[in-house]
Amino acid sequence: DGGITQSPKYLFRKEGQNVTLSCEQNLNHDAMYWYRQDPGQGLRLIYYSQIVNDFQKGDIAEGYSVSREKKESFPLTVTSAQKNPTAFYLCAINRGRGQPQHFGDGTRLSIL
Amino acid sequence: KNEVEQSPQNLTAQEGEFITINCSYSVGISALHWLQQHPGGGIVSLFMLSSGKKKHGRLIATINIQEKHSSLHITASHPRDSAVYICAAVFRYNTDKLIFGTGTRLQVFP
């Protein structure tokens, strides 16, 4: 999506290492979301933020952390406490509740 | 049991066929989304609807609120329609988030 950028596209993590996935948007939207996608499962919500300096846990927040210091940026850190981090991670944004979501192209995280 | 169920899980078709993908949900919604995920992983929003029917090109989405059911139709299917199609619901009890179905993998052969 032209307005939302995720990086890197592929990421490898060693055991015990924290890694940070980047999500940047230039659409001036307030709401930002992080999802995890595993084979055969629907996307699951990790964290979301409706406004700068505020964020809420989603359904599977354990082992993850986020920050929202700027409106355009919502980085996700996968900590060493996340024992099964291998997955496809998607960031999404929207204008507000009930609006269509715009998704980034995703980051595929693997364990070395 | 997932709150959003899709069927079928996998679907193959010949070019030109009419395609239907189904989505059912468990409780009252404020909106339902249809999304398309291409092999590279990126997701595009196709429709958001809360009642009736929407059409965009060869794609049609319908929703029946009483039956808690939505369908995505593709007319005159083409190989470029090959993708995973995902429905996602915003439930009235929590409008902060989407609940996703597991997706329908569609392959259209020439």
Side-chain angles (χ1 to χ4, degrees), chain B:
Chain B
K1 186 179 188 299
N2 199 17
E3 293 175 283
V4 178
E5 298 276 354
Q6 279 186 247
S7 63
Q9 277 189 301
N10 294 285
L11 185 56
T12 58
Q14 288 295 126
E15 184 173 355
E17 285 185 6
F18 181 83
I19 305 291
T20 296
I21 299 170
N22 297 299
C23 177
S24 60
Y25 50 91
S26 55
V27 294
I29 62 166
S30 61
L32 187 122
H33 296 252
W34 280 103
L35 310 167
Q36 181 190 55
Q37 184 172 32
H38 280 283
I43 292 179
V44 174
S45 179
L46 298 175
F47 296 103
M48 185 187 75
L49 66 167
S50 54
S51 65
K53 173 179 169 178
K54 287 191 176 180
K55 185 176 189 293
H56 181 69
R58 295 181 294 107
L59 301 178
I60 303 166
T62 64
I63 190 166
N64 184 318
I65 299 296
Q66 287 73 30
E67 294 186 5
K68 296 186 176 60
H69 180 268
S70 176
S71 293
L72 177 69
H73 305 285
I74 305 175
T75 62
S77 60
H78 190 276
R80 65 174 173 266
D81 297 326
S82 298
V84 176
Y85 292 85
I86 301 168
C87 70
V90 181
F91 290 105
R92 284 202 290 266
Y93 68 78
N94 185 345
T95 56
D96 278 349
K97 62 180 188 178
L98 294 173
I99 306 294
F100 293 80
T102 54
T104 295
R105 184 174 299 277
L106 171 67
Q107 288 184 291
V108 182
F109 294 100

Side-chain angles (χ1 to χ4, degrees), chain A residues 62-99:
Chain A
E62 185 174 348
Y64 300 97
S65 66
V66 293
S67 63
R68 188 81 188 276
E69 297 175 1
K70 299 183 293 182
K71 189 174 187 177
E72 57 269 26
S73 179
F74 190 41
L76 173 75
T77 297
V78 185
T79 75
S80 56
Q82 172 49 244
K83 298 307 178 190
N84 184 24
T86 297
F88 189 59
Y89 291 87
L90 283 151
C91 179
I93 58 175
N94 70 17
R95 289 189 205 93
R97 292 176 180 176
Q99 296 296 314

Side-chain angles (χ1 to χ4, degrees), chain A residues 24-96:
Chain A
E24 302 280 328
Q25 58 116 346
N26 61 7
L27 296 175
N28 201 34
H29 289 350
D30 286 313
M32 298 186 75
Y33 304 79
W34 273 107
Y35 296 98
R36 170 180 171 138
Q37 187 177 37
D38 294 281
Q41 295 192 43
L43 276 73
R44 292 181 291 167
L45 182 64
I46 305 172
Y47 268 98
Y48 65 103
S49 169
Q50 302 276 14
I51 197 168
V52 174
N53 291 324
D54 188 46
F55 47 83
Q56 283 78 43
K57 292 182 180 179
D59 299 316
I60 53 165
E62 185 174 348
Y64 300 97
S65 66
V66 293
S67 63
R68 188 81 188 276
E69 297 175 1
K70 299 183 293 182
K71 189 174 187 177
E72 57 269 26
S73 179
F74 190 41
L76 173 75
T77 297
V78 185
T79 75
S80 56
Q82 172 49 244
K83 298 307 178 190
N84 184 24
T86 297
F88 189 59
Y89 291 87
L90 283 151
C91 179
I93 58 175
N94 70 17
R95 289 189 205 93

